[in-house]
């Protein structure tokens, strides 16, 4: 795997954690201690495909996806409160970072699928259902589902794949009231997202959102899971992380939708096509890091991120 791109040191912040494409920091107080009420969520220009972080980064990808997520939080504000506090962030990450309220995160990756593909399609082909929800016979890759299906998974440790869990598994984790609330919210977020995106020529096949709790007030040393199960139902559920971006959702160009085959990705198709072409000299089953992307693939991919932002928001990307 290509050496991961080191997240920038940010004076006044402590780097906590890096995912494939995002970095998490804690703001420090005057005494240099971590603030416990805020986090800085930074979107890098890194892009991943076939489980590899690719090289080079895509210029402006972090900023485009941050600005898109902020726009979606506004579009969804009537469905759920969100965690965004401010976009007043260090110059080094201007436009691609958000100061957020630190929440007690629910240990569930909340996924809703409006179209059948990927892991959901594989489960359907094996069992005729997905996440315990029976589906009609005869569905194919890219079939639109009558209504979105909630297909949650557990949060896997860094670098591992999330494990699908049943709705009952979610109930066991966070209690029946919260489970119902996050399932309904996740489905409504995808429906709203598609109402808006479809008009602009983009289909959101599926999305992953994360929720946190406001008001849990964990005592020192208290087990978060126990507290969520016992008191979580009386807390406020807050939409966190990023929302309805090409990194958290499958973006498909609507005019190319054709059930019965893998759908082209709105944003990652140039990368996938090049990496799987003879020109790259790479094989996705090789287990070795992919070669660096050619400049024209980088630029074409940047243009697709910008195009998605401008189509959805109706605003030029500055
Ligand atoms: C998965 C995501 C992540 C982001 C960036 C880099 C790696 C992972 N993450 C989000 C929190 C988090 N924790 C407490 N309160 C919050 N408001 C949030 C948020 N968002 C913890 N991890």
């Amino acid at each position: 795997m290509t050496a991961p791109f080191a997240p920038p040191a940010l004076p006044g912040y402590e780097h906590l954690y890096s995912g494939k494409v995002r970095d998490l920091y804690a703001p420090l107080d005057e005494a240099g201690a971590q603030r416990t009420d805020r986090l800085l969520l930074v979107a890098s220009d890194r892009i991943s495909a076939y489980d590899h972080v690719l090289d080079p980064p895509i210029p402006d990808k972090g900023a485009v996806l941050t600005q898109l997520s902020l726009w979606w939080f506004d579009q969804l504000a009537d469905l759920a409160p969100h965690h965004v506090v401010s976009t007043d962030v260090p110059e080094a990450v201007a436009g691609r970072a958000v100061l957020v309220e630190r929440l007690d995160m629910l240990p569930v990756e909340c996924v809703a699928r409006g179209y059948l593909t990927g892991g959901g399609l594989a489960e359907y082909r094996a069992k005729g259902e997905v996440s315990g929800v029976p589906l009609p016979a005869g569905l194919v890759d890219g079939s639109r589902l009558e209504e979105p299906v909630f297909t949650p998974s557990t949060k896997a440790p860094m670098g591992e794949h999330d494990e699908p869990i049943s709705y009952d598994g979610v109930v066991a984790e966070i209690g029946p009231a919260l489970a119902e609330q996050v399932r309904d919210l996740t489905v409504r977020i995808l429906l709203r997202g598609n109402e808006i995106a479809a008009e602009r020529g983009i289909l959101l096949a599926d999305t992953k959102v994360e929720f946190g709790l406001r008001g849990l007030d964990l005592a020192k040393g208290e087990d978060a899971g126990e507290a969520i199960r016992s008191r979580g139902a009386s807390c406020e559920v807050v939409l966190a992380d990023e929302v309805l971006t090409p990194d958290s959702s499958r973006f498909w160009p609507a005019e190319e939708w054709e059930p019965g085959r893998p759908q082209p990705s709105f944003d990652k198709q140039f990368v996938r096509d090049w990496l799987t072409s003879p020109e790259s000299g790479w094989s996705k089953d090789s287990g070795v890091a992919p070669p660096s992307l050619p400049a024209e693939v980088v630029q074409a991919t940047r243009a697709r991120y910008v195009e998605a932002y401008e189509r959805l928001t109706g605003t030029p990307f500055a």
Side-chain angles (χ1 to χ4, degrees):
M1 172 172 158
T2 311
F5 302 93
L10 298 175
Y13 294 81
E14 181 174 329
H15 175 250
L16 297 181
Y17 169 78
S18 282
K20 281 201 178 84
V21 297
R22 290 181 304 157
D23 309 308
L24 198 63
Y25 296 77
L28 304 178
D29 63 21
E30 305 77 52
Q34 280 188 29
R35 285 184 59 175
T36 56
D37 61 341
R38 294 286 184 267
L39 288 169
L40 186 75
L41 218 48
V42 178
S44 76
D45 289 345
R46 300 189 298 267
I47 183 170
S48 85
Y50 302 116
D51 263 349
H52 290 274
V53 175
L54 306 182
D55 172 57
I58 305 296
D60 295 323
K61 174 177 178 279
V64 172
L65 268 57
T66 297
Q67 299 310 313
L68 180 59
S69 189
L70 288 168
W71 181 81
W72 279 119
F73 277 125
D74 283 348
Q75 306 307 311
L76 300 167
D78 61 309
L79 294 181
H82 59 72
H83 67 160
V84 175
V85 168
S86 161
T87 54
D88 179 12
V89 299
E91 185 54 36
V93 292
R96 63 182 183 93
V98 183
L99 190 70
V100 300
E101 177 187 355
R102 194 184 294 223
L103 302 165
D104 291 295
M105 298 303 285
L106 296 179
V108 182
E109 302 282 5
C110 293
V111 177
R113 298 172 188 268
Y115 297 78
L116 198 58
T117 193
L121 174 66
E123 186 179 351
Y124 167 78
R125 282 175 170 162
K127 300 159 67 177
E129 63 176 44
V130 59
S131 292
V133 178
L135 293 177
L139 300 181
V140 296
D141 197 349
S143 286
R144 186 174 179 281
L145 300 175
E146 278 290 294
E147 59 183 44
V149 177
F150 182 60
T151 65
S153 53
T154 55
K155 290 187 176 180
M158 164 81 171
E160 290 176 38
H161 284 283
D162 299 332
E163 280 298 312
I165 50 174
S166 66
Y167 180 70
D168 289 345
V170 176
V171 171
E173 243 343 275
I174 64 174
L178 278 177
E180 183 177 356
Q181 199 174 350
V182 299
R183 174 182 63 186
D184 295 352
L185 274 177
T186 306
V187 166
R188 289 168 73 186
I189 285 166
L190 184 63
L191 284 169
R192 174 71 62 77
N194 267 313
E195 273 170 31
I196 294 170
E199 282 174 6
R200 294 145 166 104
I202 292 173
L203 295 184
L204 305 173
D206 50 43
T207 196
K208 175 189 77 71
V209 293
E210 298 206 22
F211 298 100
L213 296 185
R214 184 180 285 155
L216 189 66
D217 303 330
L218 273 180
K220 200 164 175 54
E222 185 180 12
D223 178 75
E226 277 309 310
I228 290 170
R229 281 184 289 276
S230 63
R231 309 199 296 276
S234 56
C235 295
E236 192 166 17
V237 173
V238 179
L239 184 54
D241 200 17
E242 62 183 323
V243 62
L244 296 175
T245 72
D247 275 351
S248 70
S249 319
R250 281 187 173 92
F251 276 45
W252 291 345
E255 75 280 2
E256 294 180 50
W257 178 53
E258 189 186 318
R261 59 157 172 87
Q263 308 307 310
S265 163
F266 189 93
D267 50 295
K268 293 194 173 75
Q269 202 54 45
F270 291 117
V271 166
R272 291 180 181 163
D273 287 351
W274 186 79
L275 283 175
T276 53
S277 74
E279 193 188 330
S280 75
W282 182 73
S283 157
K284 63 186 170 67
D285 307 317
S286 63
V288 302
S292 296
L293 300 172
E296 63 272 17
V297 171
V298 171
Q299 281 313 317
T301 302
R302 177 189 178 282
R304 292 296 271 178
Y305 284 118
V306 171
E307 182 183 351
Y309 173 83
E310 293 185 343
R311 275 200 199 187
L312 289 170
T313 68
T315 313
F317 173 71

